[in-house]
Amino acid sequence: NYGAKEFNLISTKFRDTLFFRSEFERAKDSKDSFELNFYHTQEANGTFHLGLSKSIIPLGKDSWILNQNDISDQKISYFPKKNQIKLTTVTALSENQSISMSGSYSNINSFFLDLNINNATLQNILPNISNFKIEGQANLKARIKKSNKVNQMIIDTQVNELKINKKFIGNLKFNVSGNNDLNKYFVN
């Protein structure tokens, strides 16, 4: 359940930018507190940006800090003349764990996504399923790119100390890549 309660939203305008600060708790019996801070601005040519300011979100058992250094270019931008969406690198940190993501989308034939996950404690970030428990430290690098010239999919994953339902499995490492047509995939 991802409902929210005790929702507070404050906004302020400075020049052409509208800044928001929101605080809320997850619904039900949880005491998880979110602090989501963001801004919206629009350029004269119609391009608009939804930026992420330093924020705190609970994910599983850990609190994650989004945009820890409050860098102004961690944002989603929409360019209406090109009909393109761009996600500049957005980062999330929790102690020695990190997640970063960037990408863009123009159409079904032109997009890319980069995703990097480092040292993520699986049992702390995956949803709780009563009869299926998974534990371990995960590292993942994924790149998916499609254009008129290149179709590329590369995924490198390593899970250390993997346990499923408390049974030690070992270390899991695999690499996946696809050919230029993305109709054949190679798993190692």
Side-chain angles (χ1 to χ4, degrees), residues 1-55:
N1 187 343
Y2 291 101
K5 63 180 182 179
E6 302 296 326
F7 185 81
N8 294 305
L9 178 68
I10 300 169
S11 65
T12 186
K13 186 174 183 180
F14 181 71
R15 295 191 183 133
D16 62 347
T17 303
L18 190 56
F19 294 90
F20 297 91
R21 175 178 175 83
S22 64
E23 297 173 348
F24 54 96
E25 295 177 4
R26 187 174 291 154
K28 289 203 171 190
D29 299 327
S30 177
K31 296 290 183 199
D32 292 340
S33 295
F34 292 77
E35 293 177 23
L36 189 56
N37 304 299
F38 55 97
Y39 65 89
H40 174 270
T41 189
Q42 187 165 350
E43 298 176 19
N45 66 4
T47 299
F48 72 82
H49 309 280
L50 183 64
L52 181 64
S53 301
K54 185 176 179 180
S55 300

